[in-house]
C-alpha cells in the first residue's frame, strides 16, 4: 500500500512531495519502484530529476542502467553529475562508453563525477584523446597538454565552462601546447567575464611571438582591470618590438601606478631611443616606484640626453631614487658633474634648494656642492677669497669660490645659496660680489649680504 501511494505521489503538484516520494521509493528497495522512477525521470523540475536519479542509483539492478544513461544528457549539470555517480556506484560496466563521453562535459562537476565512476569501473584510457579528457576531468590540465594536439579541443571546451579557476588552468595548458591553433582561443579569452582569467590569457598570449599576438596585447592595454593592463604592458616589453612603442607611451599616462611602472620598464626593455622624452616626463610622477623604474629604464637606454633629467632627479625626496639616479649617471658619464648638462640644470637645482621638503633641500645642496667642487677642480680660483672661510663648511667654501666663476648662472646660484645659509664668514666675498658686472648677480649678492649682516646683528643682540 505504501509503495502504491509513493508511486502516486511522483505525480503530485508540489515538487517537494515528488522528491519525498522518490526518496521513499529508494528506501523501500522494491523492484517494482524502478519502472515508476524511470517514467518520472523526465520531470519538469531539475531538483526532482536529481532526486529520482539518486533514487535509481540505490537499486543494484541492471534495469536502472538505461534510464541513468539517458540522464547523462540531462539539461541540468547536477542531474548529469548524479547520473554519472550512480552508474559508478552500481558497477555498470556497460555504461563505460557514455561515461567516457561525459568526460567531455562542459561542467567540471560532471566531468569529475564521470572520471570517478570510470575509475570505480576499473576503466583505463586507451588512446591519447582519452588520456587527455580524463586528465582534464580530474583537474590535471598540464598533464593533458602533454598529449599534444589531441588535447586542443578538450581544453578549448573548458574555456566555455562556468568556473573561472578551470578556465585559468585550461588557458595555462593551452599556452604550453606546441600548436598554432592555440592563439585564437587565447585571444577570445581576453573577453572573459572574469578579470583573473583575462590576466592569465594575456600572460599566455605574451608567450606567443606573432604579429597577431602583439595586436591582441595592445588591445589588452585598454582592459578595465588594472592588473590586466599591467600584464599586457609587461608582455609587450618582452616581445612587442617597435609596434609597441606608441601604445606603451600612451600607457605612461594610465591612472594606475602599476600600469605606468610596467610601461616604463617595458619601454626600457625595448631599447628604443624615441622613448626618451616621454620617459623623462615620468620623473615628475607622484609614485616613487614609477620614478625608480624610470631611472632604471633610462640607464638601460644609455642615452646621454638623459643626463640633465637624471641630475635633477638627484634631488628626489626618496633616497632610493636618488641613489639609483646617481648610479645611472655614473654609468652614462663618470664626469657628469663637470659636464655642460650639469651647468644647464643649476637653475632647477636652485629651485629644489628652495623646496619645503628637508631632504629635497639637502639633496639639492649636496648636488650643487658637488658641481661646485668639480668646477673648482677644473678652474683655479683667483686667490683665496677670504682666510676666514678656511674654517667654514666645505659647501660654503665651494659656493664662495663660485662667486668668481666665469659662468653668470653659477655666480647667481652661489649668491642666492649663500644668502640662505647666512654664514657670517661670507661677508667679504659677498661684498665683493656686490660689484659684479651682471645686474642679477649684483642684486642677489646685495640681498645675500644684507641677510648675512642682519643675522650677525641678531646674534650680537642675543
Amino acid at each position: 500500500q505504501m509503495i502504491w501511494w509513493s508511486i502516486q505521489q511522483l505525480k503530485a503538484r508540489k515538487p517537494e512531495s515528488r522528491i519525498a516520494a522518490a526518496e521513499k521509493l529508494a528506501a523501500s528497495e522494491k523492484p517494482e519502484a524502478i519502472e515508476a522512477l524511470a517514467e518520472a525521470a523526465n520531470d519538469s523540475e531539475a531538483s526532482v530529476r536529481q532526486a529520482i536519479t539518486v533514487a535509481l542509483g540505490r537499486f543494484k539492478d541492471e534495469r536502472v542502467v538505461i534510464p541513468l544513461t539517458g540522464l547523462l544528457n540531462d539539461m541540468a549539470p547536477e542531474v548529469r553529475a548524479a547520473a554519472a555517480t550512480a552508474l559508478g556506484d552500481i558497477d555498470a560496466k556497460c555504461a563505460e562508453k557514455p561515461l567516457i563521453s561525459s568526460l567531455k562535459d562542459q561542467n567540471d562537476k560532471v566531468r569529475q563525477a564521470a572520471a570517478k565512476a570510470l575509475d570505480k569501473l576499473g576503466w583505463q584510457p586507451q588512446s591519447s584523446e582519452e588520456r587527455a579528457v580524463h586528465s582534464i576531468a580530474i583537474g590535471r590540465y598540464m598533464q593533458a597538454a602533454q598529449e599534444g594536439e589531441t588535447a586542443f579541443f578538450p581544453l578549448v571546451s573548458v574555456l566555455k565552462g562556468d568556473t573561472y579557476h578551470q578556465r585559468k588552468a585550461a588557458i595555462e595548458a593551452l599556452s604550453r601546447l606546441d600548436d598554432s591553433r592555440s592563439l585564437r582561443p587565447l585571444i577570445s579569452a581576453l573577453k572573459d567575464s572574469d578579470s583573473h582569467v583575462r590576466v592569465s590569457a594575456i600572460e599566455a598570449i605574451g608567450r606567443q611571438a606573432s604579429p597577431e599576438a602583439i595586436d591582441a596585447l595592445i588591445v589588452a592595454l585598454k582592459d578595465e582591470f588594472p592588473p590586466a593592463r599591467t600584464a599586457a604592458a609587461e608582455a609587450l616589453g618582452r616581445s612587442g618590438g617597435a609596434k609597441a612603442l606608441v601604445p606603451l607611451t600612451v600607457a605612461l599616462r594610465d591612472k594606475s601606478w602599476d600600469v605606468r611602472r610596467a610601461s616604463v620598464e617595458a619601454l626600457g626593455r625595448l631599447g628604443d631611443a624615441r622613448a626618451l622624452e616621454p620617459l623623462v616626463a615620468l620623473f615628475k610622477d607622484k609614485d616613487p616606484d614609477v620614478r625608480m623604474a624610470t631611472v632604471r629604464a633610462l640607464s638601460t637606454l644609455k642615452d646621454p640626453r638623459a643626463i640633465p633629467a637624471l641630475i635633477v632627479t638627484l634631488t628626489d625626496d626618496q633616497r632610493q631614487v636618488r641613489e639609483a639616479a646617481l648610479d645611472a649617471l655614473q654609468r652614462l658619464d663618470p664626469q657628469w658633474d663637470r659636464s655642460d648638462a650639469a651647468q644647464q640644470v643649476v637653475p632647477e637645482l636652485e629651485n629644489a634648494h628652495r623646496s619645503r621638503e628637508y631632504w629635497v633641500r639637502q639633496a639639492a645642496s649636496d648636488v650643487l656642492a658637488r658641481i661646485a667642487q668639480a668646477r673648482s677642480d677644473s678652474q683655479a680660483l683667483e686667490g683665496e677669497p677670504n682666510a676666514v672661510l678656511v674654517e667654514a663648511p666645505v659647501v660654503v667654501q665651494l659656493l664662495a669660490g663660485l662667486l668668481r666663476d666665469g659662468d653668470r648662472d653659477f655666480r647667481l646660484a652661489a649668491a642666492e645659496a649663500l644668502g640662505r645659509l647666512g654664514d657670517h664668514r661670507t661677508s667679504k666675498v659677498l661684498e665683493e660680489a656686490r660689484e659684479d658686472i651682471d645686474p642679477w648677480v649684483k642684486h642677489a649678492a646685495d640681498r645675500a649680504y644684507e641677510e648675512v649682516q642682519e643675522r650677525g646683528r641678531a646674534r650680537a643682540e642675543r
Side-chain angles (χ1 to χ4, degrees), residues 152-172:
F152 175 74
F153 287 112
L155 287 170
V156 170
S157 68
V158 177
L159 296 181
K160 302 173 184 177
D162 54 4
T163 57
Y164 85 92
H165 65 278
Q166 299 285 353
R167 302 198 296 276
K168 279 172 57 70
I171 285 171
E172 177 67 19

Side-chain angles (χ1 to χ4, degrees), residues 276 279-280 283 294-295 297-299 301-313 328-329 332 341:
L276 178 68
L279 281 174
V280 166
F283 278 134
T294 302
V295 171
L298 290 174
S299 179
L301 288 179
K302 299 179 181 179
D303 193 322
R305 291 178 299 165
I307 291 177
L310 285 168
I311 294 175
V312 175
T313 305
L329 282 168
L332 287 171

Side-chain angles (χ1 to χ4, degrees), residues 336-357:
W336 61 268
D337 48 0
R338 300 173 183 265
S339 67
D340 292 339
Q343 298 182 42
Q344 293 170 13
V345 297
V346 166
E348 292 183 69
L349 294 173
E350 276 297 306
N351 287 334
H353 201 275
R354 291 189 285 270
S355 172
R356 294 181 180 180
E357 296 287 337

